């Protein structure tokens, strides 16, 4: 953080996030030094945030503005909230900005992928898709799902998702729709004998499972892999959250 000689006003910054405030402030100070800026005028602030607007979305710019504003008040007794042109500029950066939501996979698209994609290449993706949709699962829930938390009762699967906060597992059922249970059983049977990790999802390639558990990055890409195979537009918009959003349509 900034060395202010034990200034009593440092306590005015939020304790938990003070380091973030100081990082934002020091980044601004460094920029000023590189530009040989001597005074923090409105035009200087406009130039600084105009450069930042090329790389950051509106919400990030406002967060940086808020932190720099607080530090300038405390450390330099400068009130940039009184700079009308700066405020107007920041407001304009938000015009037309919309939060990007993950796209969803329809029932027909899911069925088409499960029935047509080659198991030798996509079996792990299929099982992740099935469980993710059936249980409206988050990426980390799928990553940490263990074989002991899945009970095959013949006509369906009873799946328990552990909750680290409440210690009470969430339970959902996968019914025998299409060949979903067949796909799950096939994937489970391919686990290497005596594999130590108890996590369900292991890396899968050319029809074989390794002993290495699947990580978050691979798991969150499942929807985009499905979308790519189906040649859907805007593949990058099928994010990890797609499974939870698509689940609402699936059970409707």
């Amino acid at each position: 953080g900034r060395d202010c000689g034990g200034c009593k006003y440092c306590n005015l910054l939020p304790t938990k996030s003070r380091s973030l405030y100081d990082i934002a402030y020091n980044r601004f100070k460094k920029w000023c030094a590189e530009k040989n800026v001597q005074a923090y005028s409105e035009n200087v602030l406009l130039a600084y945030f105009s450069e930042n607007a090329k790389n950051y979305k509106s919400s990030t710019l406002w967060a940086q503005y808020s932190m720099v504003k607080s530090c300038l008040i405390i450390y330099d007794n400068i009130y940039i909230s009184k700079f009308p042109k700066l405020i107007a500029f920041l407001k304009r950066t938000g015009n037309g900005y919309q939060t990007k939501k993950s796209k969803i996979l329809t029932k027909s698209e899911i069925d088409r992928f499960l029935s047509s994609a080659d198991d030798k290449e996509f079996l792990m993706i299929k099982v992740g898709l099935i469980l993710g949709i059936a249980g409206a699962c988050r990426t980390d829930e799928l990553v940490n799902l263990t074989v002991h938390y899945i009970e095959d009762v013949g006509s369906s699967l009873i799946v328990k998702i552990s909750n680290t906060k409440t210690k009470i597992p969430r339970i959902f059922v996968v019914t025998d729709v299409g060949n979903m249970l067949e796909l799950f059983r096939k994937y489970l049977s391919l686990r290497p004998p005596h594999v130590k990790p108890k996590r369900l999802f292991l890396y899968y390639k050319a029809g074989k499972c390794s002993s290495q558990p699947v990580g978050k990055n691979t798991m969150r890409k499942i929807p985009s892999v499905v979308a790519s195979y189906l040649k859907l537009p805007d593949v990058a918009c099928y994010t990890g959250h797609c499974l939870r959003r698509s689940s609402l349509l699936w059970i409707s």
Side-chain angles (χ1 to χ4, degrees), residues 69-181:
K69 177 186 70 173
S70 296
C71 289
L72 284 173
I73 293 172
I74 293 170
Y75 297 142
D76 302 285
N77 199 32
I78 295 174
Y79 292 78
I80 65 174
S81 58
K82 297 181 178 180
F83 292 165
K85 289 187 292 185
L86 175 60
I87 302 301
F89 168 77
L90 291 172
K91 288 181 178 179
R92 284 199 304 274
T93 63
N95 290 343
Y97 176 79
Q98 293 182 339
T99 302
K100 292 183 179 180
K101 290 184 177 180
S102 175
K103 286 198 168 187
I104 63 171
L105 292 165
T106 66
K107 289 182 180 181
S108 61
E109 288 167 347
I110 293 169
D111 289 340
R112 184 152 55 95
F113 176 77
L114 293 178
S115 61
S116 63
D118 187 358
D119 287 356
K120 191 172 182 179
E121 182 179 357
F122 295 104
L123 184 58
M124 190 277 288
I125 300 296
K126 288 184 177 183
V127 176
L129 178 65
I130 290 168
L131 294 177
I133 294 290
C137 296
R138 298 182 176 86
T139 297
D140 60 331
E141 290 177 332
L142 289 175
V143 168
N144 295 316
L145 181 61
T146 66
V147 293
H148 301 302
Y149 269 48
I150 303 176
E151 182 182 1
D152 189 340
V153 296
S155 60
S156 60
L157 302 176
I158 300 175
V159 186
K160 296 180 181 179
I161 298 291
S162 59
N163 190 312
T164 56
K165 292 183 178 180
T166 65
K167 306 300 181 182
I168 301 175
R170 177 167 63 84
I171 300 175
F172 65 89
V173 176
V174 182
T175 55
D176 196 7
V177 177
N179 63 338
M180 288 185 177
L181 299 191

Side-chain angles (χ1 to χ4, degrees), residues 1-11 18 22 25 74-75:
R2 179 182 183 274
D3 182 10
C4 57
C7 169
K8 63 180 180 180
Y9 297 111
C10 290
N11 294 328
R18 180 186 163 185
D22 283 342
Y25 176 73
I74 293 170
Y75 297 142

